[in-house]
Amino acid sequence: MSDERLERELRALFDENAPVTAPASLHQHVAELARRAPAVRSRRPLLSLVAVLGTIAVVAAFVEIALLTLPRQGPIPGSPAPVPPSPTMRAAPPPSASPAPAPSPTPVPTAASSWSFRLASPGTLTPVTGADGSAYLATSPGGPKGQGKVYALDAAGHVKPGWPFAPAGVAAFGTPAVATDGTVYALGWAYGKSAAEAAGTNAATLWALDPAGRVKAGWPQPVAGSVFMGDGGGLAVRPDGGVIYVEGTTKGGSSAYRAVALDADGRPAAGWPVSLPGGPLCAVPCSIGTVGPDGVWYALIQLGRGPGAEIVALRPDGTPVAGWPVQVPGGEGFTLGGDGTIYAWGFDTNGAQPPSGVPKIVRTRFVEVDPDGRLRSGWPVTLDGPVSIPALGPDGTLYATAGGEAGQVERVVGLARDGTERAGWPYTLRSDLTAYPYSPTEGMPARATGPSVGPDGTVYLPVYRTGQLGSAAQALLAIAPSGRVAVGWPVWLPAGARFGFVGEFTIGGGGQLVQPAFGADGTIYVPVDLASTTAGVVMAVEPSGHAPSGWPLAAPAGSSGPSHVIALRLVPEEDLILTTVADFGNSAIVSRVATP
Amino acid sequence: MRVGSEEAMAFNGKARDAARDRAGDTFAKSLERALDSQFRLAVLILGDRDEAEDALHDALEAAWRARNGLREPERFDAWFGRIVTNTCRDRARRRRRGPVAVADLPDREAPDELAGLPDRYLLHRGLRELDVDHRTVLVLRYYADLSVDDIATRTGVRAGTVKSRLHYGLRALRAALEAGSRREREGEVSR
């Protein structure tokens, strides 16, 4: 079929399927909104005050909600009572499979943040913190006139003197990396440079800034060709205070990749750059290369265009570690354990390429590799079908959700250090519970969201009642290390609530749930969106399945539309750093909130 | 003087309220005027009238709450259109978080209104399999007749991204048509 005919058919199809008028209910709703105007007007004094008080107003806008009371202690407001413990959850009375009841108003106080910082454009907003408690975040408004900036906020949330860093002509910055001496590395690049323009002219530049926001001597340094960015910014800090990144160049249709290491003074580190056999790979969340405590840099590299992949390990002097690289066929990602063990996983698609172009995952392989490059005994472990990105328990157990296709999770597996199934595992999900599917890797089919593991080894998994996503039946499941549902769990979200997603208001994200944060006492913090408020809410649940006093809390919100918490992280003082997008994706708020 | 000031404030307050009433009426009329066309877009983007009705309901609420942020009333259509597009996208993504609906369309029975139009049926099916971002740009381009730049503004992405999505979307539809035709020849699809 020609392009013209395809477009013609498409237009005809749209014309045939577009309804002529909107339903009467919507017209009635507009009339109702118009009648509601006086009620809106009555709030104006409060909103005027909001405008005057600036950032404080973001909190104040929800004072009306905060006037309502919260139970001092107990399950999540609006949720059913915790169910008795049961290894198979059979004893737990499931919530009604009938349509969810209308959400009842759920009082949610706004978090009393120690500070909040509002940005007009979200850009790259995962803040990183330095040893002195400063938070660094980069903004990338995009567009030909966009000006990328790097902000440094002190422990009180104020922009530090000398910041933001905003060099002319830089449209975007990746997430910064902070060295132990406070040096801030930031990769920035100009907007809209074509490959031809970029060739030899350094479209990207790497800066090193001191804590006062000044460019350090020897910097900036140009980046030759494409630079690879991950969610973590694509920069790995070396033990000597320098930095490593991967750059790629294309010439005559073939690409070449190399790892570049610079010392703290901007000079090429001895023995570097090192040519790589291919481009780096990573899943979501992604970081390009990881530096271990011994200074070895690890990266997962794709070999050619096929499924071949290997993990390279380079010493600080650029030489490969004996025994490496290690082959990881179909490699998607890896993580570095505290003892230097590398955990990696990959997929086998059997070469199947359906017409849609999305390959089918027929099996998933996990490997554990000792620091000397030897495959640990009992590995690899191969599981049928797609398996989630794994989570690492405190004792080195690998946990992942596995099962059928399209996110139909059947079980949570727990693989012990010797590659065998941990005693009491796998945990089999009841058939009417489903884990969230998402696409962690572009071009790969949706798989289940993986679990998260708390500091005590409890495995958490967000689930919903099969077939009722979007209604009331969403819950957080906690599985004890024994493989049984933890006492007091699952915790069901209030009616109409849903878990928070990374990709709110943004293109992409693949439907990835926001990673929860864990307090030292095992309390889990999870972003949720409630039906009763447009503010992004953080839910806290203690290991007992109860909400700590005063929780959940609404994060500081925007001035219009719903707000969503898209990232949260616990800082050493047990405060939460929240990133909230608001105003239909046009603004973002970074705030610091104390935990109980 | 003090009483007089309070009276003046009260009078000014009433004047402001009256002005807001008028502004609210004007805004409501703008919503009413745009409702049908935006509902059509929402139906095409979401592929489901009930979903579209819910999305428009949410979008109306959002627009009403954000109405004071509308700086240029003459650009109301683009402003409200962006809210509707974003709302549809959010809804579709929430829906997508469920298991992939592989059986949304019947395998062996074309919808009545498409009977006898194999390409149209396969096209319909292909559209349902596209993700919401690609489907949105196709609807805005080939139904709303927006330019690439206008689509970029409406969806909040660069023009290059819009072009890429148009290209990929059409390519995926063509692949769906070709695959469907193959199956049809092999007897997998009957009409």
Side-chain angles (χ1 to χ4, degrees), chain A residues 378-453:
Chain A
W379 301 83
V381 172
T382 302
L383 302 172
D384 287 339
V387 180
S388 72
I389 289 177
L392 198 56
D395 61 353
T397 301
L398 269 186
Y399 295 99
T401 47
E405 298 173 21
Q408 294 287 7
V409 171
E410 295 168 352
R411 63 197 192 279
V412 182
V413 297
L415 303 175
R417 299 298 299 268
D418 61 0
T420 61
E421 192 83 64
R422 184 188 171 99
W425 295 76
Y427 172 80
T428 302
L429 259 76
R430 218 170 49 193
S431 62
D432 58 345
L433 292 180
T434 305
Y436 288 83
Y438 85 106
S439 302
T441 304
E442 190 176 348
M444 295 294 274
R447 285 175 279 143
T449 290
S452 303
V453 187

Side-chain angles (χ1 to χ4, degrees), chain B residues 75 78 82 147-159 162:
Chain B
R75 292 184 52 77
R82 181 166 181 165
S147 68
V148 167
D149 287 341
D150 286 344
I151 296 171
T153 304
R154 180 76 64 94
T155 55
V157 300
R158 294 177 187 169
V162 173

Side-chain angles (χ1 to χ4, degrees), chain A residues 3 20 25 27 506-507, chain B residues 32 40 53 93 165 174:
Chain A
D3 281 353
V20 177
S25 66
H27 290 281
T506 63
I507 303 298
Chain B
E32 179 68 33
R40 285 193 285 270
E53 187 174 347
R93 285 190 174 150
R165 287 186 182 155
R174 184 175 288 109

Side-chain angles (χ1 to χ4, degrees), chain A residues 121-125 501-512 564 566 579-582 584-588, chain B residues 82 85-86 89-90 93 96-97 132-133 155-157 161 165:
Chain A
S121 63
T124 306
L125 273 169
F501 283 79
V502 172
E504 302 288 358
F505 292 128
T506 63
I507 303 298
Q512 181 195 0
H564 305 280
I566 59 165
T579 303
T580 305
V581 288
F584 305 101
N586 292 319
S587 64
Chain B
R82 181 166 181 165
T85 306
N86 284 339
R89 190 180 62 203
D90 278 357
R93 285 190 174 150
R96 191 179 64 186
R97 288 161 198 155
V132 66
D133 296 327
T155 55
V157 300
T161 305
R165 287 186 182 155

Side-chain angles (χ1 to χ4, degrees), chain A residues 44 47 50 57-58 61-62 118 120 505 533-536 556-564 580-589, chain B residues 27 58-71 79 82-83 86-87 90:
Chain A
R44 296 304 297 172
L47 295 180
V50 166
V58 175
F62 290 91
R118 186 179 174 126
F505 292 128
T533 173
T534 56
S559 53
S560 65
S563 299
H564 305 280
T580 305
V581 288
D583 303 328
F584 305 101
N586 292 319
S587 64
I589 303 151
Chain B
F27 190 84
D58 293 351
L60 288 170
E61 287 282 351
W64 189 260
R65 284 194 300 270
R67 65 190 189 279
N68 293 326
L70 176 60
R71 303 269 182 259
W79 179 83
R82 181 166 181 165
I83 291 175
N86 284 339
T87 309
D90 278 357

